[in-house]
Amino acid sequence: MFFSFLDELRAAGIPAGVKEHLVLLDALQRDVIARRPEEFYYLARATFVKDEALFDRFDQVFSRVFKGLESDYGVAQADIPEEWLRAIAEKYLSPEEMEKIKSLGDWDEIMETLKKRLEEQHGRHQGGSKWIGTGGTSPYGNGGYNPEGVRIGGESKHRRALKVWEQREFRNLDSTKELGTRNIKVALRRLRRFAREGAADELDMDATIRGTARQGWLDIQMRAERRNAVKLLLFLDVGGSMDPFITLVEELFSAATAEFKNLEFFYFHNCLYEGVWKDNRRRFAERTPTWDILHKYGHDYKVVFVGDAAMSPYEITQPGGSVEHFNEEPGATWLQRMTNTYPASVWINPTTQQHWGYSQSTQVIRQLMHDRMYPLTLAGLDDAMRELTRKR
């Protein structure tokens, strides 16, 4: 069983080796966990998974390899641990019912009775308050209502289950999934570079200990607080074909503002031209010349464009190609100036990567960005942050 588990993990792209396999076997031999499926799940995940982006893949493999450990109760024959049955009896039987059960005999007879009751069910049940099924008020199954129960299969309805065996807790951390704010923050942290700047208002414990030991008296040493030293320029495409991605881009923007203190953001539409803006309601009245940005912010800034790159190719390559105004210079010229001034620059595209090849404008933008276009997924953001931190 464990060898097939190892093969399945490798097939899913999880780097599981013999070393991890031996560690797992050694832990089981030494009884470092209780002999319960959920304990084994967490032990195996801690042993094999080194990257939280692989949690969802691990959950799927674990469910496929060990499927049926708990979800096949009443359908397939299985040895049911006594402590499980005892816990079920104590949880769901009233004191009066417990007294009635005690009349059956000792605990061994009670456990045998409960086992037989579980074995009696051979088919699907809808509704009711006793069997494993859907609907009804039984504490086992799905789709019904019970103040506290065990959901077996199906989808959550009231979110009251005490235990769900196949629930994948980190589904949105898979590398192929689009992200929420929390997970975008996790990906953006790769870009952070800490430096000590400002007033020395933080106690340096190590230096204080060394100085005290050297001098023979208390030698207090202070240091500046560590702050994120990365400087980021964020350009966000708004309007038109970007409307379906408003929520996703808002999450990215929220995560970026939380992670980077030295962040400046600007809006543009479709392609970068001679002007950008900070307030969409006043985008014609209050614009910032792109030349001012190129002259104001130093070459050490990182630049991130966020847009779907979906437009007419003429909006990029021709003067006057913009759909909102007459641009004297092509958008391609401004993108080239931006990438020449800021070598660390990337383009984040919220559309599915498989569709990029069908858009001529996307191919043009990708060439202008020197192929530094990445999808808005965990893996895509991770690759983009690696590119921005690469030494040039």
Side-chain angles (χ1 to χ4, degrees), residues 45-181:
R45 195 181 72 176
T47 303
F48 288 111
V49 182
K50 306 299 189 299
D51 185 349
E52 63 181 359
L54 302 176
F55 279 171
D56 183 64
R57 297 189 199 178
F58 177 85
D59 285 352
Q60 295 181 59
V61 172
F62 192 91
S63 176
R64 182 167 60 251
V65 174
F66 300 104
K67 188 175 180 63
L69 286 182
E70 288 189 272
S71 60
D72 286 338
Y73 288 167
V75 178
Q77 297 294 327
D79 293 331
I80 303 172
E82 179 177 327
E83 60 268 21
W84 292 7
L85 298 174
R86 188 187 300 270
I88 291 174
E90 293 176 351
K91 185 69 180 177
Y92 295 105
L93 299 180
S94 66
E96 293 78 11
E97 291 172 326
M98 290 290 290
E99 289 297 327
K100 293 180 181 178
I101 291 180
K102 286 181 180 179
S103 64
L104 295 174
D106 58 21
W107 268 106
D108 291 335
E109 294 183 45
I110 295 173
M111 296 305 113
E112 186 64 28
T113 301
L114 288 175
K115 287 182 182 179
K116 289 181 179 179
R117 180 168 298 180
L118 290 172
E119 293 168 357
E120 289 172 0
Q121 180 175 341
H122 297 288
R124 181 182 182 275
H125 286 266
Q126 170 70 31
S129 60
K130 177 181 178 181
W131 301 112
I132 301 172
T134 57
T137 58
S138 171
Y140 314 109
N142 67 81
Y145 178 84
N146 191 283
E148 294 176 319
V150 180
R151 176 158 67 83
I152 301 174
E155 298 292 333
S156 177
K157 186 175 182 180
H158 298 287
R159 300 189 181 276
R160 289 176 173 267
L162 289 175
K163 181 171 183 58
V164 180
W165 178 248
E166 291 187 348
Q167 181 178 1
R168 286 147 51 190
E169 299 176 8
F170 298 91
R171 180 176 302 176
N172 61 345
L173 287 178
D174 191 288
S175 298
T176 61
K177 301 293 183 181
E178 292 183 349
L179 308 175
T181 303

